[in-house]
Amino acid sequence: MQRSGVMWAKIEVVPSDREIIYLPESLSTEADSSRSIEVKFGGKTATAKILYTDDLKLEKGSFENPGKIRLSNKLKDKLLIPESLVYRIVITDTRISIGPVIGLLLGVHTHRYNPRHMKKYSDRLGIYNKVGGLIYAFSPKSVNWNRNSAYGLYYNIATASWEYGCFPLPDVIYRRDFHSSPKHIDKLMDFTGGRLFNSYRFSKYQMYEAVKENNELSKYLPPTDLSLNFEQVKKFIDSHSKVILKPIDLSRGRGICIIEKIDDAYKVTDYRYKNPVVSVLHDNESLREFFANNPNLFNRYLIQKYLSLARIGNSLFDIRVVMQKRPDHTWGCTGIECRVSNSNSHLTNISRGGYALTLEEALYRAFAEDCEFLSQEINEFCQKFCSYMDKMGEHFAEFGMDIAVDTEKNIWLIEANVFPSFKGFKIMDRQTYLSIRYTPLLYALSLTEFGDGL
């Protein structure tokens, strides 16, 4: 047999105590008669006897019009292959590959691996007819390394539901949680040949330190330091007048505290509580006492100059840019939203009562001019940032970049998150939201041998 293109097929299982794959008679040659071949499905392989029959069809086809092959139940069980799905098939002289097998790594918490929780991922499968194969969620804790398999939940296109099963380790893994141990991630990276993407999550300060090394990008960083002790923090506050303290490993505005120096006094707006607490400290000793009573502000916190952000009316806004790897392995912007605070808040997070606008509308309402220039500068900066991050030795394919524009129309990088949320897009523009959700699966497919023609 010569190498085929990518073909679509459904699988029919027939009883046999031997490992057999049945292919269409049209694929046979004299040299193929009664020979065996390796059959691969994700991390599982088996040597199977080929039998040809004239009642099967396997052509390029499509998801909507797939061909058909047969597997013996012994081969099906060895490969751990669900029979209800529509697969892509690639045939060479030495191997038949069935797939793709794409894993969703959602962390180690077992409560995330049930059909009810997995419903939130179902909208990603609106692109299943462009991907096909087995898409399943699994925890590193569920991996059986002796068998190259994992327990998890797969999306059954026939029933549009998530169902439990045991599956081969994936061809490629989309990481959407960062509580797994580095040892587990390294092992999965090795197994997939580096095809686990979003392989590392920088803390806010690690990201700052990495970008600071690049002369072209560092000018977009506001002055930032780790919060270590009172004397150092007070010096930073006195130097910049208004600062923001934020945890290096939390998001969505959690744990933030803003301190502003006003003459000899200090105004503190503390967002660590459900409702922000505002207090005025009248002198240096009161400030020292505040930090003595809140020693956690020196524990994994950074301190940053508070930027004089542009406003829409009385409300602050910042910009969330979603950058994703496309099937051609280049970076592209798949969505931009501006998050506007409610008028009483320093925080723009939707979860804190903010709302979303398009970039064009927000820039026009804030500045009424220079909108096109600012939009272009933001896009160019994000492209340069992603290209630079590709040199970090990790496999990145998705960033949620938080960009600020100050009153002088300067652009600043607030943070870049490899685990972004997309709530604003879901409210503002559902088609953009769905495109963002689909892109990682199309990229995952492109990393496999089944991505030909994308």
Side-chain angles (χ1 to χ4, degrees), residues 127-377:
I127 202 75
Y128 182 83
N129 65 329
K130 305 294 184 187
V131 180
L134 171 64
I135 300 171
Y136 77 97
F138 73 106
S139 163
K141 288 184 175 180
S142 73
V143 173
N144 183 328
W145 287 104
N146 293 324
R147 299 189 66 210
N148 290 345
S149 65
Y151 286 95
L153 291 101
Y154 81 107
Y155 189 75
N156 187 341
I157 189 65
T159 59
S161 62
W162 294 88
E163 299 176 13
Y164 290 103
C166 182
F167 314 106
L169 287 179
D171 297 311
V172 57
I173 299 172
Y174 174 28
R175 187 181 185 189
R176 279 294 294 176
D177 183 90
F178 293 86
H179 298 291
S180 303
S181 78
K183 182 179 70 174
H184 286 147
I185 298 304
D186 288 346
K187 204 165 183 179
L188 289 167
M189 280 286 283
D190 287 343
F191 184 85
T192 58
R195 290 187 295 273
L196 181 155
F197 59 92
N198 299 342
S199 57
Y200 185 77
R201 186 184 195 181
F202 286 93
S203 72
K204 290 180 175 70
Y205 193 68
Q206 286 174 325
M207 184 68 73
Y208 175 84
E209 288 284 280
V211 176
K212 191 172 69 171
E213 294 297 313
N214 183 286
N215 291 334
E216 187 177 12
L217 300 178
S218 61
K219 64 184 180 182
Y220 294 94
L221 296 173
T224 303
D225 207 346
L226 283 175
S227 173
L228 299 175
N229 55 62
F230 174 74
E231 285 72 21
Q232 173 241 3
V233 166
K234 183 180 182 303
K235 184 177 180 181
F236 197 97
I237 296 170
D238 291 344
S239 176
H240 298 290
S241 298
K242 191 172 184 179
V243 304
I244 182 167
L245 286 147
K246 50 189 176 182
I248 63 174
D249 49 9
L250 292 180
S251 58
R252 301 194 295 276
R254 293 173 294 174
I256 280 175
C257 189
I258 294 169
I259 302 177
E260 181 180 7
K261 186 175 185 181
I262 305 172
D263 297 325
D264 293 328
Y266 300 90
K267 179 183 177 182
V268 178
T269 307
D270 199 335
Y271 288 94
R272 291 175 295 165
Y273 306 94
K274 184 175 181 181
N275 296 312
V277 176
V278 179
S279 55
V280 177
L281 310 174
H282 295 286
D283 52 34
N284 292 341
E285 284 308 308
S286 298
L287 182 66
R288 183 186 293 275
E289 185 178 346
F290 170 79
F291 278 100
N293 292 331
N294 293 273
N296 62 313
L297 291 175
F298 300 130
N299 181 22
R300 299 183 65 77
Y301 262 73
L302 58 77
I303 186 167
Q304 194 170 74
K305 178 183 177 180
Y306 186 89
L307 299 172
S308 179
L309 297 183
R311 291 178 179 264
I312 295 173
N314 293 322
S315 297
L316 305 172
F317 76 94
D318 65 10
I319 301 160
R320 163 61 60 87
V321 182
V322 178
M323 298 292 292
Q324 293 176 309
K325 282 261 181 79
R326 296 175 288 209
D328 65 1
H329 298 185
T330 62
W331 285 97
C333 172
T334 50
I336 301 180
E337 65 172 354
C338 291
R339 300 172 303 180
V340 187
S341 72
N342 69 50
S343 57
N344 299 316
S345 178
H346 294 88
L347 305 182
T348 61
N349 306 80
I350 304 259
S351 59
R352 289 280 190 164
Y355 63 94
L357 290 176
T358 65
L359 177 66
E360 292 75 15
E361 185 175 359
L363 292 178
Y364 180 79
R365 287 170 63 176
F367 300 111
E369 58 184 22
D370 293 333
C371 300
E372 187 173 339
F373 171 78
L374 283 170
S375 179
Q376 182 178 341
E377 186 178 357

Side-chain angles (χ1 to χ4, degrees), residues 95-106:
R95 189 169 76 183
I96 298 172
S97 298
I98 304 171
V101 180
I102 297 172
L104 304 176
L105 194 64
L106 308 182

